[in-house]
Amino acid sequence: MRNGINTFLAKLRSFWTKKPVRIVTVVLCAVVAIVLALAVVYSLWEQPPEVVTVTPTPAPTAAAVSETEAPQSDDTDDADDFDGALVTDRSNGQYTFLIAGTDQSSGSTDTIIVGRMDTVEHTLNCVSIPRDTLVNNGWSNNRRINAVYWYSDTGAEALKKQITNLLGFEVDCYAVVDLDCFVDIVDIMGGVYFDVPIDMNYDDPTQDFYVHISAGYQLLSGEDAIKVVRFREGNNGSGYANGDLGRIETQQAFLMSVASQMLNLKNIPNLTDIITAITENTDTDLTAANIAFFARQFLKCDSDSITFATAPTGGVLIGGQSYVNLQVDEWLEMVNELLNPYSEPVTTANVNIINFNGSTVYSTSGYVAGSDDFFYGSSESEDTAGDTDTAESAGTSDASDTAEPADTAEQPESAEE
């Protein structure tokens, strides 16, 4: 009897001794199962954006047109009729995008970046298009690329069309981000460490815009970050020697710092909140699932596989206002190397790019939109190929826009520094 009781007690002690281990094992298995289930659900939820698959009509032959030879239409945007964009077999796993930055006071998109993400080779290429780039439209006397979004009736669609004219193909997706959303995203990330390249001191009470940030490596909040990427010229005339190109370089360096910090962490801090901020506060055709897809693909890249570049341009004055011409041959080489997702190269037959040298208008599409008074009514040019700021600085010397807008009656006051 006593032996039986002892045996029972021994089994009971053994059961209670091992039970915690069994409970922990069961809990761990449940956690792993839940995590795996969430991973499967997430992978099923996220999805890439739809890619462009339309077929274009043949494009007209490129031609140089003069004041008397150019086919014109009064105050219409003939660029909308151009349909020479390249569409052929696409390279596997490549997606193109447009990101533009705007603000509430001016509405201009002074930051414009087009890019291509390769989800097979895990590369990311981004190219900045200078804000003063001349575009072939006839519905406004301000023919800079940064005015398209604000002036047009269709906003992002009009901007996408002009980007298509410059690229020779349609981008797959876009996002127009205002300054407040940019600030929110940086703050959601907990700030960004960045090496500010120069001392930045600027005061503009008319725009309620004040910048006082010292050069050097530091943690930038959202408010400080937006001041850094907007700054161009200070109170005493100091700033970037190359004008707006210097600002573009700083913007690209800042984005590279953001990318490097995320890649080092192998994580995007508070990604869910960032996705919410983008989908709820930007003009975009991206869904939350699309953004999640790009985020996961981005984390497969490394810093060496991310490239930033700036479109090659040369400065020109039109009606006393500063513009830049895209240097067509160099630009198409850049497009095909960094941005083109198709198997065939982009050529001049696929783009609708317009240049003006002070006496002659050149259009790759063979026509110029709008009245020729825009070019020949009052114009002068400078031999500044490859130097955007030389033409810009002839217009103004303050810290805001490099020149007064071509249409001062329509252009809202710019808050872009």
Side-chain angles (χ1 to χ4, degrees), residues 112 126-130 244-245 248-249 252 308-313 326 330-331 334 338 388:
I112 298 176
C126 298
V127 176
S128 297
I129 298 179
D244 196 52
L245 292 181
I248 289 175
E249 290 170 359
Q252 293 175 344
F308 283 94
T310 303
T313 57
L326 277 178
E330 293 87 343
W331 169 241
M334 180 178 289
L338 299 178
T388 302

Side-chain angles (χ1 to χ4, degrees), residues 86 88 167-169 332 335-336 340 342-348 350:
L86 176 69
T88 180
L167 292 176
F169 58 85
L332 293 184
V335 167
N336 286 314
N340 185 4
Y342 295 98
S343 58
E344 296 295 326
V346 174
T347 69
T348 53
N350 305 120

Side-chain angles (χ1 to χ4, degrees), residues 1 6 11 27 34 62 94 99 106 144 151 161 172 199 256 261 265 281 292 306 322 333 357 374 384 395 408-410:
M1 181 68 177
N6 289 338
K11 290 182 178 180
V27 170
I34 292 172
Q94 295 189 3
I99 298 176
S106 74
R144 298 180 180 92
Y151 281 127
K161 178 61 181 177
D172 299 319
D199 289 334
M256 190 67 219
Q261 289 168 47
L265 290 172
N281 301 292
I306 299 175
S322 62
E333 182 178 349
N357 66 5
F374 173 77
T384 57
T408 54
E410 292 184 302

Side-chain angles (χ1 to χ4, degrees), residues 1-202:
M1 181 68 177
R2 181 175 296 177
N3 289 337
I5 292 174
N6 289 338
T7 301
F8 172 77
L9 292 175
K11 290 182 178 180
L12 187 61
R13 284 194 299 270
S14 176
F15 173 79
W16 285 112
T17 301
K18 294 180 180 180
K19 188 174 182 181
V21 177
R22 292 172 180 171
I23 293 174
V24 170
T25 301
V26 171
V27 170
L28 288 176
C29 289
V31 170
V32 170
I34 292 172
V35 170
L36 290 175
L38 290 174
V40 170
V41 171
Y42 182 85
S43 64
L44 293 174
W45 170 71
E46 70 167 34
Q47 60 182 4
E50 294 184 5
V51 298
V52 178
T53 57
V54 298
T55 302
T57 57
T61 304
V65 293
S66 68
E67 178 180 1
T68 57
E69 297 170 346
Q72 304 287 344
S73 60
D74 293 336
D75 299 325
T76 58
D77 185 8
D78 282 353
D80 286 343
D81 298 328
F82 179 75
D83 195 17
L86 176 69
V87 176
T88 180
D89 295 335
R90 288 189 60 128
S91 300
N92 183 40
Q94 295 189 3
Y95 301 90
T96 58
F97 57 86
L98 161 66
I99 298 176
T102 186
D103 65 82
Q104 296 176 346
S105 61
S106 74
S108 60
T109 53
D110 282 5
T111 299
I112 298 176
I113 297 174
V114 289
R116 182 186 70 190
M117 174 173 279
D118 189 330
T119 61
V120 176
E121 299 296 329
H122 306 305
T123 61
L124 175 62
N125 299 328
C126 298
V127 176
S128 297
I129 298 179
R131 62 178 185 170
D132 293 335
T133 299
L134 179 64
V135 293
N136 198 5
N137 73 50
W139 41 259
S140 171
N141 285 333
N142 188 338
R143 302 193 186 185
R144 298 180 180 92
I145 186 68
N146 74 334
V148 173
Y149 181 79
W150 177 261
Y151 281 127
S152 68
D153 294 332
T154 56
E157 287 303 315
L159 179 58
K160 283 177 59 183
K161 178 61 181 177
Q162 290 295 346
I163 293 297
T164 298
N165 288 339
L166 301 184
L167 292 176
F169 58 85
E170 184 179 349
V171 294
D172 299 319
C173 52
Y174 74 90
V176 180
V177 183
D178 67 25
L179 300 185
D180 291 337
C181 186
F182 176 90
V183 171
D184 290 342
I185 291 173
V186 173
D187 286 337
I188 290 171
M189 293 173 55
V192 174
Y193 284 96
F194 181 62
D195 191 1
V196 179
I198 58 176
D199 289 334
M200 299 180 176
N201 292 286
Y202 178 66

